[in-house]
Amino acid sequence: MKINYISFRQSITRLVLPALAVTLLWSCSKTVDEPTAGINTPSSLDENAGKWKPYVLASSDEIAVAQPKEATSDDYKAELKKVKDLTESVTPQQREQINYWGAGAVYRWNEIARELCARYNSPPASNADGKYPIPDATKPLQDPKFPFANPPYAARALAYLSVAQYDALVAAWNYKFKYNRKAPSKNDTSIKALLPVSDLPSYPSEDAVVAEASVVILKAMFPGEVPFLEAKLAEHKQSRIAAGMNVESDMLAGAELGKAVGAKIMGRARTDKMGSANNQAQTAAMIANARKIGVTEPWVSQEFPPRPPMLPTYGFVKPWNFDSATVVALRPEAPPVIGSPAFQKDMNELLDIAKKQTREQARIASFWSDGVGSYTPPGHWHRKGAELCHENKYSEVRTARTLALLGTTMQDAGICCWDVKYYYYYPRPNQMSSKIKTSVGLPNFPSYTSGHSTFSGAAAEVLAHIFPANKKEVDDMASEASISRIYGLIHYRFDCEVGLASGHKIGGYAVARAKTDGAE
Amino acid sequence: MMHSLLHKGLRLLGILLAFAGSLPSAYAQMPNDAIYMGKKTACLAVSYTHSSWDQYWENSLKRENLNIGTHTTQSVMPMLAVGITKNLNAIVALPYVWTRASTGNLMWQKGVQDASLWLKYRFLNKSGFSLHAIGGASLPASDYIPDFLPMSIGIQCRTATARLLASYRHTSGIYLTASGSYIFRSKINIDRDSYQADDKLYNTSKVSVPNAYDASARLGYLKKAIQAEAFVEYGACDGGDNIRRNDMPFPTNNMKSTVAGVYAKFQPKNIGVNARASHVLSGQNVGQSTAFSVGVLYQFRYAKEAKN
């Protein structure tokens, strides 16, 4: 067979090549660029942070940190020499790690924790018997993975992380200014530090403190991630020495302090009643109570097979900024009676959206969905909080304080909201009408009040106090997060409005603490 | 020589939507045949496709999901094939797609999906053997939601396809056709600014969708008014991740499938009909769909003095 080469060649030039050119333009890069956090240069030393009020530690000197060796000692000089050698032989990969951690220790460990929340935010699949196996903390990587990092779980993990970082840094600041060891590059001017150097004393290292305290908490919260966390920890600590920011004894003292504070915080975690937050045996009594107070059609799982409700006794977990009696006192009024005009009005709104959800409503619902596989609403707000701290050039200790205020109020919001949910046991809209389907995934717990709204109200209240210039922005964000649940067709308007108002009230307790913790 | 209509084909974005079932386009009149419209003639085809599955592969685990039940994708797709010269055809198509799940609480989606344009060029034609270069591109034609699989009607990629096709047709009417393609797919924007892919958390709304490739072989008979064919198609992504345990599918998933099917057309005059059936034999990150299509075809001259 004779092949016609001319037409073959023509076809390549006329058709195939232009097509390829177009396609290559579209596909030349498959990488997606994420916003990068630059190196943080704190605008203040926050010299007095050693006197700020810790959460769990009795005081900033509860855990002793030994006096460092003199700057004139041979040991210290040897450490300086080692730092100098390291800074002069930094590899491009080390340089990248230095810059990465230079965005801030608290900032990065918060980001890591959010990623872990997302990775573990998977509800167990049902087995052949139609039952949902419970994750086993001793076999974290087996299916179903432990934990199921749902919103209450994530709220708590992030709260403990932030509190540990904060308490550890308050203690570190106390010793920093007590011992006042200058940064390596100030003791030996031949050391060229690879990150900006301030007058903040370098012993004990704030990075080591944060890294070790964070790892203690995160190993407990995500026991399947120990190797990952240890690798990050080693990288973080090494990056500081390679950057010329700390000598080894700065790091060791910080590491010991961070570990000790982490252990102390975990002591609280072990007795905060999270261990009994999934007591399914109590739901029968809860349902009976809901009927008694007038909820004629209590919530039932809309999953197939029916899934036990998420953490029905999370409302009894120990809150941070008030006591358990206040959780009950903060419980909002009952939702509308099912079938009443007030109920019907909000139901009609949903039926209307079900018929013609707009693209913008779908976008808002999806943006705030924070559902399975995401870092949950508390993670969403931690991200915002961390970004605001970074933009405002907060010091490590002030960043930690902000995220501790934010983290604790969000766990408080979760506790209060879960108390309300299981007190009223109110049905989801789609339980009341099969015409209502969702574009975001249906949560498996009672409707009233909206968790998103409560988390977001509390978060906005705290962030608006700390960043008054951003008050409108964060309030608008919270309102949008709240209404997104209506657009997503999983909440009645009254769930969202009451939840948002409750959240703001709950946030008020953290703000009250902020006003008296010595940082303002 | 008889002017045939083209069609069938598949793949337009079929592969993208493999999860939602082989799309309408799944048998649309894609250029993966060796049949050409004559110069100055055109064919308008409208097809209806019904595709459904009640089991899918979550990564490689085949499972059912009682919160979806039976997942159905239906579509209506008008398509126009135009003979520019006897060796160059253009095809445009625009499907309207709607999805539904028989149980559960996921909102059904519907809308105009992606518009596609294909150019098909026969650069060698000798003794029944022909070689074809085919280029295609598609663009989302509406602002549908990409990040709500398996209910989404598409994933909002712009695509470009480069395909080579070889065919041999015996004078008896029996033919054998084989093709292979590479499909470039653009990044997409989703409504969220954070998602997981490749075991990593991304803090952006941009999603890198893997490119894809496919291959197909078809054995058939074509003479006068009748065409009948059996085919096998394989499609997969060039990379991508897997559906996480008990999670929803995501546009970055490496969807793979092997599909077998039959196709027939009867067109005694200007007006004709066709039908297609296919079934996913094996896959990964896709539903095991069974699809049926029927279509009507109308062939006409769009300019005078048409010659073949």
Side-chain angles (χ1 to χ4, degrees), chain B residues 255-283:
Chain B
M255 299 175 182
K256 300 181 188 174
S257 64
T258 303
V259 181
V262 290
Y263 169 79
K265 186 187 73 188
F266 179 63
Q267 188 168 29
K269 300 234 166 121
N270 281 13
I271 292 181
V273 293
N274 64 6
R276 182 184 193 267
S278 68
H279 180 68
V280 174
L281 301 176
S282 65

Side-chain angles (χ1 to χ4, degrees), chain A residues 418 421 511:
Chain A
W418 255 242
K421 281 180 181 292
V511 170

